[in-house]
mmCIF file of all heavy atoms in Angstrom:
data_model
loop_
_atom_site.group_PDB
_atom_site.id
_atom_site.type_symbol
_atom_site.label_atom_id
_atom_site.label_comp_id
_atom_site.label_asym_id
_atom_site.label_seq_id
_atom_site.Cartn_x
_atom_site.Cartn_y
_atom_site.Cartn_z
ATOM 1 N N PRO H 1337 -0.160 8.191 0.177
ATOM 2 C CA PRO H 1337 -0.324 9.230 -0.868
ATOM 3 C C PRO H 1337 0.682 10.340 -0.799
ATOM 4 O O PRO H 1337 0.991 10.984 -1.661
ATOM 5 C CB PRO H 1337 -1.726 9.690 -0.698
ATOM 6 C CG PRO H 1337 -2.401 8.957 0.407
ATOM 7 C CD PRO H 1337 -1.462 7.900 0.800
ATOM 8 N N THR H 1352 3.327 -7.024 12.974
ATOM 9 C CA THR H 1352 3.754 -7.592 14.309
ATOM 10 C C THR H 1352 3.313 -8.901 14.684
ATOM 11 O O THR H 1352 3.710 -9.487 15.628
ATOM 12 C CB THR H 1352 3.430 -6.547 15.365
ATOM 13 O OG1 THR H 1352 1.995 -6.372 15.479
ATOM 14 C CG2 THR H 1352 4.184 -5.160 15.068
ATOM 15 N N ALA H 1355 1.039 -12.225 18.366
ATOM 16 C CA ALA H 1355 1.699 -12.372 19.646
ATOM 17 C C ALA H 1355 1.917 -11.029 20.398
ATOM 18 O O ALA H 1355 2.514 -10.125 19.808
ATOM 19 C CB ALA H 1355 2.864 -13.243 19.609
ATOM 20 N N LEU H 1358 4.831 -9.166 25.445
ATOM 21 C CA LEU H 1358 5.038 -9.673 26.779
ATOM 22 C C LEU H 1358 3.947 -10.790 27.107
ATOM 23 O O LEU H 1358 3.654 -11.024 28.280
ATOM 24 C CB LEU H 1358 5.006 -8.586 27.853
ATOM 25 C CG LEU H 1358 6.121 -7.665 27.742
ATOM 26 C CD1 LEU H 1358 6.067 -6.506 28.753
ATOM 27 C CD2 LEU H 1358 7.607 -8.228 27.732
ATOM 28 N N SER H 1377 12.114 -5.979 38.412
ATOM 29 C CA SER H 1377 12.271 -5.125 37.340
ATOM 30 C C SER H 1377 11.245 -5.284 36.235
ATOM 31 O O SER H 1377 10.816 -4.436 35.545
ATOM 32 C CB SER H 1377 13.675 -5.230 36.725
ATOM 33 O OG SER H 1377 14.633 -4.876 37.658
ATOM 34 N N THR H 1387 7.985 -17.496 32.396
ATOM 35 C CA THR H 1387 8.706 -18.810 32.562
ATOM 36 C C THR H 1387 10.188 -18.463 33.028
ATOM 37 O O THR H 1387 10.819 -17.730 32.203
ATOM 38 C CB THR H 1387 8.758 -19.654 31.455
ATOM 39 O OG1 THR H 1387 7.420 -20.092 31.034
ATOM 40 C CG2 THR H 1387 9.486 -20.878 31.592
ATOM 41 N N VAL H 1391 19.969 -21.954 33.799
ATOM 42 C CA VAL H 1391 20.804 -22.826 32.900
ATOM 43 C C VAL H 1391 21.918 -23.426 33.883
ATOM 44 O O VAL H 1391 22.722 -22.633 34.521
ATOM 45 C CB VAL H 1391 21.505 -22.111 31.727
ATOM 46 C CG1 VAL H 1391 22.530 -23.027 30.975
ATOM 47 C CG2 VAL H 1391 20.401 -21.578 30.818
ATOM 48 N N THR H 1402 29.908 -26.489 39.151
ATOM 49 C CA THR H 1402 29.412 -26.819 40.475
ATOM 50 C C THR H 1402 28.719 -28.180 40.279
ATOM 51 O O THR H 1402 28.250 -28.525 39.168
ATOM 52 C CB THR H 1402 28.373 -25.868 40.997
ATOM 53 O OG1 THR H 1402 27.432 -25.711 40.017
ATOM 54 C CG2 THR H 1402 29.043 -24.450 41.199
ATOM 55 N N GLN H 1406 23.870 -29.221 43.410
ATOM 56 C CA GLN H 1406 23.997 -27.869 44.010
ATOM 57 C C GLN H 1406 23.367 -26.916 42.948
ATOM 58 O O GLN H 1406 22.667 -25.994 43.376
ATOM 59 C CB GLN H 1406 25.382 -27.540 44.280
ATOM 60 C CG GLN H 1406 25.619 -26.107 44.790
ATOM 61 C CD GLN H 1406 27.080 -25.840 45.025
ATOM 62 O OE1 GLN H 1406 27.909 -26.618 44.948
ATOM 63 N NE2 GLN H 1406 27.335 -24.569 45.396
ATOM 64 N N TYR H 1415 13.648 -19.994 41.316
ATOM 65 C CA TYR H 1415 12.324 -20.098 40.833
ATOM 66 C C TYR H 1415 11.425 -19.582 42.064
ATOM 67 O O TYR H 1415 10.388 -18.813 41.773
ATOM 68 C CB TYR H 1415 11.876 -21.411 40.472
ATOM 69 C CG TYR H 1415 12.731 -22.063 39.261
ATOM 70 C CD1 TYR H 1415 13.034 -23.393 39.255
ATOM 71 C CD2 TYR H 1415 13.165 -21.150 38.242
ATOM 72 C CE1 TYR H 1415 13.708 -23.873 38.154
ATOM 73 C CE2 TYR H 1415 13.999 -21.679 37.175
ATOM 74 C CZ TYR H 1415 14.276 -23.036 37.124
ATOM 75 O OH TYR H 1415 14.957 -23.659 36.165
ATOM 76 N N ASP H 1426 5.990 -20.270 35.577
ATOM 77 C CA ASP H 1426 6.428 -21.640 35.292
ATOM 78 C C ASP H 1426 8.022 -21.637 35.431
ATOM 79 O O ASP H 1426 8.592 -20.436 35.680
ATOM 80 C CB ASP H 1426 6.170 -21.959 33.821
ATOM 81 C CG ASP H 1426 4.620 -22.023 33.614
ATOM 82 O OD1 ASP H 1426 3.937 -22.655 34.464
ATOM 83 O OD2 ASP H 1426 4.179 -21.643 32.530
ATOM 84 N N ALA H 1430 17.555 -25.806 32.144
ATOM 85 C CA ALA H 1430 18.385 -26.264 30.903
ATOM 86 C C ALA H 1430 19.652 -26.662 31.403
ATOM 87 O O ALA H 1430 20.291 -26.150 32.375
ATOM 88 C CB ALA H 1430 18.364 -25.115 29.844
ATOM 89 N N ARG H 1433 26.701 -26.255 28.009
ATOM 90 C CA ARG H 1433 27.858 -25.391 28.213
ATOM 91 C C ARG H 1433 27.705 -24.012 27.687
ATOM 92 O O ARG H 1433 28.117 -23.036 28.218
ATOM 93 C CB ARG H 1433 29.006 -26.118 27.442
ATOM 94 C CG ARG H 1433 30.358 -25.456 27.790
ATOM 95 C CD ARG H 1433 31.475 -26.441 27.315
ATOM 96 N NE ARG H 1433 32.745 -25.823 27.432
ATOM 97 C CZ ARG H 1433 33.488 -25.758 28.556
ATOM 98 N NH1 ARG H 1433 32.857 -26.273 29.674
ATOM 99 N NH2 ARG H 1433 34.662 -25.297 28.642
ATOM 100 N N ASP H 1434 26.947 -23.937 26.614
ATOM 101 C CA ASP H 1434 26.684 -22.636 25.931
ATOM 102 C C ASP H 1434 25.478 -22.080 26.460
ATOM 103 O O ASP H 1434 24.284 -22.330 25.974
ATOM 104 C CB ASP H 1434 26.633 -22.817 24.425
ATOM 105 C CG ASP H 1434 26.483 -21.540 23.662
ATOM 106 O OD1 ASP H 1434 26.059 -20.481 24.209
ATOM 107 O OD2 ASP H 1434 26.801 -21.436 22.342
ATOM 108 N N ILE H 1439 19.430 -20.712 26.306
ATOM 109 C CA ILE H 1439 18.435 -19.826 26.433
ATOM 110 C C ILE H 1439 17.516 -19.713 25.186
ATOM 111 O O ILE H 1439 16.251 -19.723 25.239
ATOM 112 C CB ILE H 1439 18.982 -18.337 26.718
ATOM 113 C CG1 ILE H 1439 19.571 -18.302 28.134
ATOM 114 C CG2 ILE H 1439 17.915 -17.279 26.652
ATOM 115 C CD1 ILE H 1439 20.366 -16.977 28.382
ATOM 116 N N SER H 1466 33.486 -13.580 29.823
ATOM 117 C CA SER H 1466 32.372 -14.390 29.907
ATOM 118 C C SER H 1466 31.638 -14.648 28.471
ATOM 119 O O SER H 1466 30.629 -15.284 28.387
ATOM 120 C CB SER H 1466 31.314 -13.801 30.786
ATOM 121 O OG SER H 1466 30.743 -12.519 30.203
ATOM 122 N N LEU H 1469 27.287 -12.392 27.252
ATOM 123 C CA LEU H 1469 26.082 -13.064 26.945
ATOM 124 C C LEU H 1469 24.930 -12.090 26.417
ATOM 125 O O LEU H 1469 24.203 -12.362 25.606
ATOM 126 C CB LEU H 1469 25.590 -13.654 28.258
ATOM 127 C CG LEU H 1469 24.204 -14.404 28.204
ATOM 128 C CD1 LEU H 1469 24.223 -15.480 27.222
ATOM 129 C CD2 LEU H 1469 23.882 -14.815 29.670
ATOM 130 N N VAL H 1479 13.520 -14.657 18.764
ATOM 131 C CA VAL H 1479 12.506 -13.887 19.247
ATOM 132 C C VAL H 1479 12.913 -12.524 19.776
ATOM 133 O O VAL H 1479 14.164 -12.372 20.030
ATOM 134 C CB VAL H 1479 11.679 -14.648 20.481
ATOM 135 C CG1 VAL H 1479 11.127 -16.022 19.903
ATOM 136 C CG2 VAL H 1479 12.747 -14.927 21.585
ATOM 137 N N SER H 1489 19.661 -1.196 43.354
ATOM 138 C CA SER H 1489 19.195 -1.737 44.684
ATOM 139 C C SER H 1489 19.272 -3.205 44.598
ATOM 140 O O SER H 1489 19.261 -3.814 43.693
ATOM 141 C CB SER H 1489 17.668 -1.276 44.795
ATOM 142 O OG SER H 1489 16.866 -1.639 43.798
#
Side-chain angles (χ1 to χ4, degrees):
T1352 57
L1358 298 181
S1377 293
T1387 296
V1391 178
T1402 57
Q1406 182 181 350
Y1415 301 147
D1426 295 320
R1433 187 165 179 82
D1434 184 339
I1439 292 171
S1466 70
L1469 181 59
V1479 296
S1489 56

